[in-house]
Structures are given as structure tokens and as C-alpha cells.
Amino acid sequence: MRQSFIKIEEGKNTHKRYIGSLFVILAFMLILGTVAYTVALILGELVQPGLIDFETGLVTDPLVDLYLLHLQSIFLILGLLIAVKAILKRRFISLITPYKNLNWGKVFYGYVVLFILLVVFTLIDYAFFPNDYYLNDFDANRFMWLLVAVIFLVPIQTTSEELLFRGFLLQWGAKFTTNPILLAIIVGGIFGSLHFFNPEMEYGAIWVALDYLAMGFIWTYISIKTNSSEFSIGAHAANNMFLCLFLTMDDTVYGDIPSVFVTTNVNAMLSTLTTIITGVLFTIIVFQKQKKEMK
């Protein structure tokens, strides 16, 4: 029997319990996560003097900051776990799928498909604009530390966001409407708008905003139509891991990390159009996969 992912029947899912859960989640992410980040940063300063620029309040080493920023994601997952188990009274996996087990095949399929699409479109962009790319200064030690973060920490960060947006908020939103377009606009809009504070907005606020909103809409719509967030979990991880490992540029959320390539002269409009095209292709491929599995 097909169970619904967004119209979750398991547990106690009243609006009051969702509101209480949200307070717990935000407390863990914003309060405890910030405290953990601050404590870790102070300890880092004691071990490595000069890590903090006291005039700006910023971390001088973006690679260290990359590690520290993921503390919030860990506390976000802990907050979600406590809220779902103690307040909503249901299984934690229900934020991903209505079934008993995670379908790792869907997660890896979403990861591989989007990763390949990103590689293809990056190569196309390089073919037309080769001067916009150059090799970063290679430091084996720093690159290994980046690789560790990409493999072990970035998937935690992306999955925590999927659990919150394509899980918790999507299922709460479905108590108001089950219209997939409207739900995708609402949840995808919240997801996209929270990225408006990223430094990438300086490259063209309107186009970068559309980029984030389009990405949020597409991944939410896929989660609704495929009855789980498994494909989007894989895709989100692929997107951030690819960018973190291979492409860096000035004024981004990750900063000047030791990625393989540095990109310059970012065209926000072209980047947004590429995101939409990639998203549409990803959606078509995933829906075909889902259709075959349901036969």
C-alpha cells in the first residue's frame, strides 16, 4: 500500500506540536549551534593565534571556518531528532520517506545524475569562457583537509537542510494545502529566501535570488511528486560537494577555500539560466527513473 510522504499519518502532527518542534529546532540550530561555533573559534584562536581578525570579527582562514560552520548543521539535526521523536512522536526517517527503510539507490541516483549534469555544464561554460577559470594555488595539505570536509561534513550540512525544508516544513505545509505547485512555491521560497543573506548576492541580487528560488522549487517539487526527499538529498549533496571541491570564487559563502579551480567574472543571469536548465533536465531524468520503479 502506497503511503503518503507529505500527508504523514504517523505520530501526533498537530499545529501546536509543529510550532513547539520549530522552537526546539531553532534553539538547537541558532543558540546551541552558535555557542558551539563560538567556543570552537575561541579554542582555535588559543591554539592558532591570529585565527580571528578582531577588527572585522571574521575568521582569517576560510578552511577552518568551513569546518566550524558545519557545527550548526550538526545541532540542527540534533534539534530535528529531538523534536520528531519527543514532540511529533514519530520515526526520524519519516522526514525523508514514509516507509521503514531509506532507499539509498534513490539518494545515490540523485547524486550521480546531478553531479554529471554539473560537470557537463561546467565544461560547456569553460568551452565558451575559458578565461573565467584558472587553477588555484595547490597546497596538498590544505587540499586534503578540504577533501575530508567535502566527504564527511558537506553531506551533513546538505542533509540537515533537506530534513528541515523537504521534510519538516514540507509536511507541515501539507496540513494547509496538498497542491504540489503551491507547496513547492511556499517551501522552495522559504528555502531560497534564507540564502539571500549569502555573499553571492553581490554578483546580481535579482538573478542570484531567482537561482536560489528555482533550486528550492525544483527540489521541493521532486520530493512531493516522488513521495520522498531521497532524490533531493542526493542532488543537494552533489551540488554543494561539486562546488566546494572544484570551484571557488570571491564573495561566496565558502570563501577562498583551496578548491581545484577559481572562477572569475561570474555572470549571474547565465548562472541562473544554467541552474534552471540543469534542474529541468534533472527532474525529467528522475521522474523517468521513478516511473520505471513504479511499474
Side-chain angles (χ1 to χ4, degrees):
M1 181 178 177
R2 189 176 190 271
Q3 301 176 55
S4 175
F5 172 56
I6 61 171
K7 291 294 289 183
I8 194 78
E9 296 180 3
E10 177 185 345
K12 299 179 179 180
N13 304 293
T14 63
H15 289 299
K16 287 184 179 179
R17 287 180 179 270
Y18 269 111
I19 292 171
S21 296
L22 183 61
F23 277 114
V24 170
I25 293 164
L26 293 178
F28 268 79
M29 180 179 67
L30 299 179
I31 299 176
L32 295 181
T34 301
V35 169
Y37 176 90
T38 304
V39 170
L41 189 56
I42 293 172
L43 292 175
E45 174 65 24
L46 293 175
V47 174
Q48 182 183 326
L51 181 62
I52 305 173
D53 184 339
F54 289 99
E55 291 186 3
T56 62
L58 300 176
V59 181
T60 57
D61 189 336
L63 188 56
V64 173
D65 198 35
L66 176 66
Y67 273 81
L68 296 181
L69 285 172
H70 285 87
L71 287 171
Q72 274 197 327
S73 300
I74 294 171
F75 278 93
L76 171 55
I77 292 177
L78 288 174
L80 282 162
L81 178 62
I82 291 172
V84 170
K85 300 287 286 185
I87 302 176
L88 299 181
K89 303 291 184 181
R90 52 185 167 96
R91 296 168 305 129
F92 188 58
I93 199 175
S94 65
L95 292 178
I96 302 173
T97 174
Y99 302 109
K100 291 183 179 180
N101 300 309
L102 183 69
N103 188 331
W104 284 103
K106 287 185 176 181
V107 176
F108 287 121
Y109 189 83
Y111 180 93
V112 171
V113 169
L114 189 66
F115 197 93
I116 291 173
L117 287 172
L118 291 172
V119 170
V120 170
F121 277 91
T122 301
L123 290 174
I124 292 173
D125 188 62
Y126 176 77
F128 282 97
F129 309 103
N131 293 329
D132 290 349
Y133 297 82
Y134 65 89
L135 280 171
N136 206 348
D137 295 330
F138 184 75
D139 183 316
N141 182 56
R142 288 180 63 77
F143 184 78
M144 287 305 298
W145 278 109
L146 174 63
L147 188 61
V148 170
V150 169
I151 294 173
F152 295 105
L153 296 181
V154 173
I156 293 176
Q157 177 253 317
T158 56
T159 301
S160 70
E161 292 186 7
E162 290 302 312
L163 291 170
L164 177 61
F165 294 101
R166 254 71 65 179
F168 178 81
L169 291 179
L170 178 58
Q171 291 169 343
W172 189 4
K175 293 181 68 65
F176 297 94
T177 178
T178 56
N179 183 291
I181 299 294
L182 186 56
L183 259 180
I185 290 174
I186 295 171
V187 177
I190 296 172
F191 171 82
S193 62
L194 290 178
H195 288 75
F196 290 174
F197 301 99
N198 287 2
E200 291 94 328
M201 297 294 286
E202 294 183 8
Y203 289 109
I206 294 177
W207 284 108
V208 175
L210 286 173
D211 194 317
Y212 287 130
L213 291 172
M215 192 179 298
F217 175 87
I218 289 168
W219 287 345
T220 306
Y221 185 75
I222 288 173
S223 296
I224 297 169
K225 300 300 287 185
T226 61
N227 202 42
S228 80
S229 63
E230 290 154 332
F231 286 122
S232 65
I233 285 175
H236 199 163
N239 181 79
N240 287 34
M241 290 173 75
F242 176 83
L243 293 176
C244 193
L245 189 60
F246 293 107
L247 300 175
T248 188
M249 53 186 171
D250 294 332
D251 298 321
T252 67
V253 70
Y254 285 135
D256 186 22
I257 55 176
S259 307
V260 177
F261 296 99
V262 177
T263 59
T264 59
N265 190 32
V266 177
N267 187 318
M269 181 183 72
L270 185 60
S271 176
T272 300
L273 293 176
T274 301
T275 295
I276 293 172
I277 294 170
T278 303
V280 171
L281 289 174
F282 179 75
T283 303
I284 293 171
I285 294 170
V286 162
F287 282 1
Q288 287 297 316
K289 170 72 171 177
Q290 181 77 0
K291 186 177 179 181
K292 290 179 180 178
E293 288 191 354
M294 294 183 67
K295 286 185 178 179

